[in-house]
Every structure is written in C-alpha cells, then in structure tokens.
C-alpha cells in the first residue's frame, strides 16, 4: 500500500505562465528551491537543491507542455525516494486549475504529514508569485 498527497488550487494566470513556474528552474527558485537545474523534457534530470544536506535529484517522468509536469525522485531522503510529485493543469474561465499530487509514499508517517503541509504552503506561495509577483526569500519558506 502507498499513500498520496493531493492539493488543487485556482491560479489567476495563464496556463503557459503556470507551466513555466512549475517546470523552469529560474521560476522554481522563486517559490520552492534554493538552486535548481534541469530542463522540462522527458527523462531530464533535475537537481533540487535546498541546502547542502538537502541536495536532491529526480527525473522528469511526464512533460506535456501547458498540461502536465511530474518528477520521479531518484536521490533524496528515505521517504521521498521513489516518490513522484507533479502538477496537472487545466485552463478555466478565470485562470488555471492546478492539481498537485505526490505519490508512492510508503508510510503514513510524520514526514508524509509534514510534507503535505509544506506543499500546501509552497503552493500558496506559487499562487502569490504568479498572481502578485511576490517572491518569498528562501529562508522564509516553510
């Protein structure tokens, strides 16, 4: 049995701006990572650097421009390894509906619950970044 984190939110921005913000390292650094490298192409490797201790890697497992972007973790911690997180997008009348998932958690433990909370906070930061241009300094992100 495995567990999945789910979140969805409406972002008042065009679907291509949302896709860029969830897939391009320069944008990821503005709402999630400290330093990120990678290209939004299938099987490309992403380096998701948060600190020297949390310097993680994953491979793009789904990349459909303006529709879907998922990364399968390859080097992280014991709980995140072999998980896949991703974003699915749908254009709606007043913006973009973002559906987020983080799948294949092996345990319903503290790290799962904490990560769910952190994703919610980070996705709120993504929304503020796209709708209002707000960049929260990395040290202040949860």
């Amino acid at each position: 049995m495995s567990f999945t984190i789910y979140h969805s939110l409406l972002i008042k921005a065009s679907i291509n701006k949302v896709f860029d913000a969830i897939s391009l390292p320069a944008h990821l650094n503005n709402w999630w990572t400290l330093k990120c490298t990678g290209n939004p192409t299938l099987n490309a490797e992403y380096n998701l650097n948060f600190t020297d201790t949390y310097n993680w890697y994953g491979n793009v497992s789904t990349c459909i421009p303006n529709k879907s972007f998922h990364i399968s973790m390859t080097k992280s911690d014991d709980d995140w390894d072999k998980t896949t997180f991703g974003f699915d997008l749908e254009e709606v009348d007043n913006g973009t509906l973002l559906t987020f998932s983080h799948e294949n958690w092996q345990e319903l433990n503290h790290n799962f619950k904490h990560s769910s909370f952190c994703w919610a906070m980070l996705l709120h930061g993504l929304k503020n970044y796209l709708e209002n241009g707000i960049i929260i300094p990395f040290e202040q992100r949860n």
Side-chain angles (χ1 to χ4, degrees), residues 107-125:
E107 295 184 56
L108 191 60
N109 59 13
H110 171 76
N111 199 6
F112 172 88
K113 296 170 189 175
H114 180 73
S115 292
S116 180
F117 173 79
C118 288
W119 275 121
M121 299 298 291
L122 289 163
L123 292 170
H124 184 263

Side-chain angles (χ1 to χ4, degrees), residues 26-138:
H27 289 289
L28 290 167
N29 291 338
N30 287 332
W31 67 270
W32 184 32
T33 53
L34 175 62
K35 294 181 287 188
C36 177
T37 60
N39 292 303
T41 56
L42 193 60
N43 299 318
E45 181 178 73
Y46 270 64
N47 176 211
L48 308 166
N49 181 286
F50 305 96
T51 65
D52 289 342
T53 305
Y54 296 97
N55 188 23
W56 295 355
Y57 292 85
N59 291 329
V60 177
S61 54
T62 303
C63 185
I64 303 168
N66 299 331
K67 182 76 176 157
S68 189
F69 185 73
H70 295 247
I71 292 179
S72 296
M73 297 304 293
T74 58
K75 180 186 171 198
S76 52
D77 68 17
D78 290 341
D79 288 319
W80 277 58
D81 271 354
K82 298 187 176 56
T83 65
T84 298
F85 67 87
F87 310 84
D88 295 299
L89 308 177
E90 179 183 344
E91 195 167 21
V92 294
D93 287 340
N94 49 353
T96 302
L97 179 63
L98 180 146
T99 302
F100 171 85
S101 62
H102 193 161
E103 303 174 329
N104 290 331
W105 286 79
Q106 297 306 300
E107 295 184 56
L108 191 60
N109 59 13
H110 171 76
N111 199 6
F112 172 88
K113 296 170 189 175
H114 180 73
S115 292
S116 180
F117 173 79
C118 288
W119 275 121
M121 299 298 291
L122 289 163
L123 292 170
H124 184 263
L126 170 64
K127 181 177 173 70
N128 277 331
Y129 169 60
L130 287 168
E131 291 181 356
N132 304 308
I134 297 170
I135 299 172
I136 299 170
F138 180 79

